[in-house]
Amino acid sequence: TDATNAKFKYFNRLLAQCKEDINANTDLTIDYDTPIDPKDIYADPIYSEDQIDPDVINILLLGDDGREPADSGRTDSMMILSYNQKLNTVKIVSLLRDTWIYIPGRTTWNRINTAYRFGGVGLAINTINTNFDMDIQYYMLVHFDDIINITEAVGGIDVELTELEVEYLNAYSGSTNYLQEGAGVRHLDGLQVFRHCRNRSLGNGDWSRTERQRNVMMAFYSRAAKEKDASALASLMYSLMDYVETNMTPWQMISLGTSIVFGGHNGFPE
């Protein structure tokens, strides 16, 4: 719809402006945190928002970098998946982790990926809805370490890599799956996909990393499309649900996944 397209254009303009504001001498591989008052850390609910377009479902996709159970971490991967049920089209936009933004309910500004640390998934969604006039009500959260398990469960994925990315994965992924040198499509295992998604040493910091993450998402989509029919895809998705935290029901997730891959959607189940 025109409203949805306008929002994505706004995101692109905002990200372009943020890129211009980055100091050329800033080390983009380092986290720059501002202090967080412990009293400001508590779980927020997802505030209800009216659906802007009845045909469009917006879902927040999150990758959590927390290493320990007690560490809520930050959402180093934040993507909005927008599915148009009527047109059967999908758009994905990344939110740069270092976007400086107002955190509602905390009367403060901080990096967008700290909203999750302040108030969990609820505050992450509320922050995006408040600042960008969105209507997100659903989310899917994957802990980064579980990317390894998901990739292994589907037998690996095929990803287009540059020559430098191949060299990086061969040197730092910890995988025994040595990749042929040079640029091109390579079949990656779990350790390689994990390292590829977290790589911001090559290219332009998080700009390049978010592009890699979107490419990995497309690779998972291509892998899903290899299933022979909707029933086979549903079975595969069901086997992966232990690795995904979400407020969607299994039926909603499977319905959405099979609709995106095979089409013929008859409405998002409530």
Side-chain angles (χ1 to χ4, degrees):
T1 66
D2 291 340
T4 301
N5 288 332
K7 286 184 173 62
F8 279 105
K9 289 179 180 178
Y10 173 74
F11 278 131
N12 288 333
R13 289 198 304 271
L14 177 65
L15 295 180
Q17 183 61 52
C18 290
K19 185 176 182 181
E20 291 178 4
D21 291 341
I22 293 176
N23 188 306
N25 296 319
T26 299
D27 186 343
L28 299 180
T29 67
I30 296 177
D31 290 332
Y32 296 92
D33 277 340
T34 56
I36 294 178
D37 191 331
K39 70 179 177 58
D40 286 333
I41 300 177
Y42 52 86
D44 285 43
I46 299 172
Y47 295 136
S48 178
E49 299 284 351
D50 292 334
Q51 192 168 2
I52 296 172
D53 186 326
D55 292 322
V56 176
I57 302 162
N58 293 307
I59 300 170
L60 183 61
L61 309 180
L62 301 165
D64 173 14
D65 73 347
R67 297 291 196 275
E68 302 295 336
D71 181 8
S72 61
R74 300 165 185 80
T75 46
D76 269 7
S77 179
M78 303 182 74
M79 291 182 273
I80 299 172
L81 183 150
S82 184
Y83 175 54
N84 189 309
Q85 304 173 84
K86 184 176 181 179
L87 301 178
N88 198 50
T89 57
V90 178
K91 295 181 179 180
I92 294 179
V93 62
S94 296
L95 302 175
L96 292 187
R97 65 198 292 277
D98 292 326
T99 301
W100 198 251
I101 202 167
Y102 174 71
I103 310 295
R106 303 300 191 275
T107 62
T108 187
W109 289 65
N110 210 310
R111 295 187 305 153
I112 193 170
N113 74 332
T114 62
Y116 176 72
R117 188 181 182 199
F118 272 117
V121 172
L123 187 56
I125 290 178
N126 298 339
T127 297
I128 295 170
N129 286 342
T130 297
N131 285 275
F132 300 116
D133 193 25
M134 297 289 292
D135 61 355
I136 299 169
Q137 297 293 284
Y138 297 104
Y139 75 92
M140 296 183 190
L141 169 69
V142 174
H143 300 292
F144 261 117
D145 288 352
D146 280 332
I147 288 290
I148 300 172
N149 298 320
I150 292 172
T151 305
E152 294 297 329
V154 302
I157 55 175
D158 297 325
V159 180
E160 181 87 29
L161 302 174
T162 67
E163 183 176 357
L164 288 177
E165 287 171 338
V166 169
E167 293 177 1
Y168 179 87
L169 291 178
N170 281 336
Y172 300 113
S173 70
S175 170
T176 58
N177 176 36
Y178 186 81
L179 303 175
Q180 179 183 344
E181 295 179 359
V185 176
R186 299 290 184 270
H187 191 73
L188 305 186
D189 64 18
L191 286 171
Q192 291 164 331
V193 171
F194 170 81
R195 181 57 59 186
H196 190 58
C197 285
R198 293 191 64 82
N199 176 14
R200 53 178 166 155
S201 298
L202 299 177
N204 193 8
D206 205 39
W207 294 85
S208 297
R209 180 166 68 167
T210 55
E211 181 179 8
R212 293 185 185 102
Q213 292 170 352
R214 292 191 301 274
N215 290 341
V216 165
M217 287 292 295
M218 289 305 302
F220 276 116
Y221 168 83
S222 297
R223 167 61 185 85
K226 292 181 179 179
E227 294 297 312
K228 62 181 180 179
D229 54 33
S231 177
L233 177 59
S235 178
L236 176 64
M237 291 181 64
Y238 192 79
S239 70
L240 300 175
M241 287 186 181
D242 284 345
Y243 303 121
V244 181
E245 177 187 320
T246 181
N247 62 347
M248 300 171 67
T249 67
W251 170 235
Q252 286 175 322
M253 291 181 65
I254 290 172
S255 177
L256 179 67
T258 54
S259 297
I260 290 174
V261 174
F262 294 107
H265 193 56
N266 294 315
F268 186 71
E270 297 295 337

